[in-house]
């Protein structure tokens, strides 16, 4: 499959993407995960991105497009991909359209995950993430807890709260989403490839996406 997952911070993009990878071997490409790994490893990209991320601002489009142009041409993308957290602005969506045309790739469709704001706020304050950059498994102390001593069930590393999970950064991320990313739904609706999914139960959402893929 080749799909984009749109949705507010905390809508469950990462959770749904990980479940979808079991469907047909398509890979999850999360710009957030790639950037957090770069920050942890202290690369030039990570150093440049960290300030934006900690405040809950978007990383500049040029940096993201450079990263994604390289990523989408790697061999493992041949199996299909689930774009999680990209594109996030109209310029990124336009650049992606050109890039996919150049690579002769079509999208199946764009999934827009719709989740009420109160549910989102609750999920973001209770999320925990595996600290291992190669794992980054997502947990939630209410709906999907890690081990009782706070370790990842997959790789055993400690789970942590992300640096952008302060109340101030969460509110800024939600505002930034409304201003810069929510307009992408209209962009893809005009292209005739948008599908909206009310997403309270991730497994149910995944079933509906698989049904839409046919
Ligand atoms: P990114 O990592 O993409 O963060 P985000 O969009 O803010 O999304 P989240 O990861 O917070 O949420 P999610 O929708 O994946 O939800 P999750 O599945 O974890 O980006 C981080 C930063 O990187 C950005 O702020 C920006 O600075 C930068 N960046 C990234 N991409 C960029 C780009 N393209 N351009 C510019 N800058 C970029 O779920 C949330 C919680 O809810 C979890 O605890 C989970 O367990 C729980 N949960 C999920 N589903 C359910 C459910 N159905 N029931 C109960 N609990 C659930």
């Amino acid at each position: 499959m080749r799909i984009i997952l749109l949705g507010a911070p905390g809508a469950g993009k990462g959770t749904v993407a990980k479940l979808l990878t079991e469907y047909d071997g398509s890979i999850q490409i999360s710009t957030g995960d790639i950037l957090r790994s770069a920050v942890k490893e202290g690369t030039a990209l990570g150093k440049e991105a960290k300030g934006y991320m900690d405040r809950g601002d978007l990383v500049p489009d040029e940096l993201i497009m450079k990263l994604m142009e390289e990523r989408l041409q790697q061999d493992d993308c041949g199996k299909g991909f689930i774009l999680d957290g990209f594109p996030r602005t109209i310029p990124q969506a336009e650049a992606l359209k050109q890039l996919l045309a150049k690579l002769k790739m079509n999208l199946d469709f764009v999934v827009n995950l719709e989740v009420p704001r109160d549910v989102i706020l609750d999920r973001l304050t209770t999320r925990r993430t595996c600290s291992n950059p190669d794992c980054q498994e997502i947990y939630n102390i209410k709906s999907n807890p890690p081990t009782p001593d706070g370790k990842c069930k997959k790789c055993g590393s400690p789970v942590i709260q992300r640096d952008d999970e302060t109340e101030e950064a969460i509110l800024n991320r939600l505002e930034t989403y409304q201003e810069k990313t929510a307009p992408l739904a209209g962009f893809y609706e005009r292209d005739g490839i948008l599908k909206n999914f009310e997403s309270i139960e991730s497994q149910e959402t995944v079933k509906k996406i698989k049904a839409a893929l046919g």
Side-chain angles (χ1 to χ4, degrees), residues 54-117:
D54 287 354
R55 286 190 299 276
D57 290 334
L58 292 180
V59 172
D61 289 338
E62 307 75 59
L63 276 185
I64 296 291
M65 285 319 302
K66 187 165 174 277
L67 169 81
M68 288 305 291
E69 278 199 48
E70 284 172 18
R71 185 66 190 89
L72 285 174
Q73 296 185 63
Q74 287 170 10
D75 288 347
D76 58 354
C77 292
K79 297 180 217 158
F81 48 74
I82 302 146
L83 298 182
D84 160 11
F86 171 82
R88 235 168 160 115
T89 62
I90 296 284
Q92 287 183 22
E94 281 167 346
L96 174 65
K97 206 169 170 177
Q98 286 181 12
L99 178 62
L100 291 176
K102 188 175 104 185
L103 300 175
K104 299 193 173 27
M105 288 177 173
N106 290 320
L107 290 171
D108 291 299
F109 48 78
V110 176
V111 170
N112 189 25
L113 299 178
E114 298 179 312
V115 182
R117 188 182 162 96

Side-chain angles (χ1 to χ4, degrees), residues 7-16 30-33 35-36 52-53 56-61 64 84-88 92 123-124 126-128 138-140 143-144 162 164 173 199-202:
K13 301 181 294 295
T15 303
V16 166
S30 158
T31 38
D33 283 354
L35 292 167
R36 277 184 291 280
Y52 296 102
M53 295 175 77
D57 290 334
L58 292 180
V59 172
D61 289 338
I64 296 291
D84 160 11
F86 171 82
R88 235 168 160 115
Q92 287 183 22
R123 285 184 188 174
L124 285 174
T126 51
R127 174 170 51 197
R128 299 292 181 272
I138 304 163
Y139 293 95
N140 189 286
S143 59
N144 175 26
R162 285 174 16 185
D164 62 358
R173 280 161 61 208
S199 188
I200 301 298
E201 227 307 307
S202 307

